[in-house]
Amino acid sequence: MAYDFEKMRREEWPVLEKMTFLDAACVSFAPQRAVRAVKAFADMTATQEEANSSAHHIAMDSLRHKAYEEAAKLLNADPEEIALVESTSHGLNIAAQGIPLEDGDNIITTNLEFIQVALPWCVMRKEKDIEIRVCKTPDERFAAKDFAALCDDRTRIIVMSTLEWCNGWQTDLKELGDFCKERGIYLVVDAVQQLGVTKIDTKACHIDILTAGGHKWLNSPYGTGVLYVNRETLPKLRQSYAGYLNTAVPEGGWGAYWENPAAPSTNDWDFPMTARRFEIGGTSNYTGAIALGESLALVNEIGIENIEARVRQIATYCMDRIEEIGGYVVTHRDPGHFGGIVIARLYDDLDTDRMILKKLHAQNIFIAQRFTDYVGGFRISCQYFNNEKDIDTMIEAMKKLIQEIGRKPDYKAN
């Protein structure tokens, strides 16, 4: 049975009736089910229905469990491979601190990454003699062979986005993961522009570490995201933090431990070999975890295959309509290699495109403009809550602005 996306849009995102929102790749809106869960938690923090404060604290912590379960389901991961982090940046820093590197080692990234992707390793160069190699291709498409050309026996990590933020290219993770596993190279991916949009199956493709904030395509702008660590990779990584909630739960639970007169202040604590050992391990962002759990559950309820088909249908329609008015589509249409991000240009004069962006915003039509290494343009986010009417509204506004400018779009790729 086909999923009723229009009904879901009306029920979960009434804000979309007030604007044309095509910018989920920046920060999205929470669905109403997440808002209700956050409000319920706020009420919970103002009272105590449990037997005591310790039980109240433990009850709040238990509300995070849904996020773990739904993330594992979405990624087809084992429960012990999932942790919650503050953001993509948090997860990437865990990877940088966890993977051992020695002087003379190198890592590979691409020329199209958001600055955070390689940033922790850029900083590491101040203390360690490591090299960062940048993969750049003539057509801004990446395949395993492009990374292989830069690899040698000192290559330790490939770190990149699964879907590039400034051109919308989705890399074949199966191909790249197989290459990395064969060569003994850690594959670390920023999935913030893909998770919840198109399918990522951690059983079907090898990934060592994946991280994604919840505030974009997962529609959970509350400061909590997902960290996946491959169970085979777990023992190879250094632990980033040491928090008591990451240790093995003592006999009788924490409530009983805190009331034990003999409880020591120091110990040789045992940290179970799960991804949660990389969390900070203290009182956490319960609000973010609760909201993320609801948003992930919505993705799983709809079905990632249904979402993928919907998003690619809208993105294709968007690309067709951009070209119809004379625009240039930067995003490649290769089957299986694009998701919800459509990048396009209208005019070779960037100031003209910037003026168009400003005037669209003034009409409550929200898209963005993003670039890295001279690649980019208008970034139009085609989320599963969007529809063809949203695209039509944007295109009609662009057509009127083109008429006002008085000349046809003239951008051509170099």
Side-chain angles (χ1 to χ4, degrees), residues 298-355:
L298 178 55
V299 171
N300 288 328
E301 175 187 310
I302 298 169
I304 190 61
E305 292 85 0
N306 289 330
I307 288 173
E308 182 170 334
R310 167 79 169 185
V311 165
R312 285 188 168 144
Q313 175 188 353
I314 297 169
T316 300
Y317 182 75
C318 178
M319 290 188 274
D320 289 345
R321 294 237 53 198
I322 289 286
E323 290 178 343
E324 179 186 307
I325 62 172
Y328 179 87
V329 175
V330 175
T331 299
H332 297 285
R333 293 181 184 242
D334 304 40
H337 287 286
F338 70 93
I341 288 179
V342 173
I343 304 292
R345 292 286 302 272
L346 291 179
Y347 290 95
D348 192 57
D349 174 17
L350 191 54
D351 285 339
T352 302
D353 273 2
R354 287 178 178 140
M355 178 270 291

Side-chain angles (χ1 to χ4, degrees), residues 167-185:
N167 81 336
W169 175 257
Q170 181 179 303
T171 293
D172 184 338
L173 288 177
K174 177 69 169 66
E175 180 196 45
L176 184 58
D178 287 349
F179 168 77
C180 287
K181 189 171 185 179
E182 180 184 345
R183 294 286 294 265
I185 297 168

Side-chain angles (χ1 to χ4, degrees), residues 142-187:
F142 302 107
K145 64 179 177 60
D146 302 309
F147 297 97
L150 294 176
C151 284
D152 59 26
D153 60 1
R154 297 302 299 272
T155 302
R156 298 290 178 257
I157 303 169
I158 292 176
V159 56
M160 66 177 303
S161 300
T162 62
L163 191 146
E164 301 296 344
W165 79 312
C166 64
N167 81 336
W169 175 257
Q170 181 179 303
T171 293
D172 184 338
L173 288 177
K174 177 69 169 66
E175 180 196 45
L176 184 58
D178 287 349
F179 168 77
C180 287
K181 189 171 185 179
E182 180 184 345
R183 294 286 294 265
I185 297 168
Y186 289 96
L187 178 58

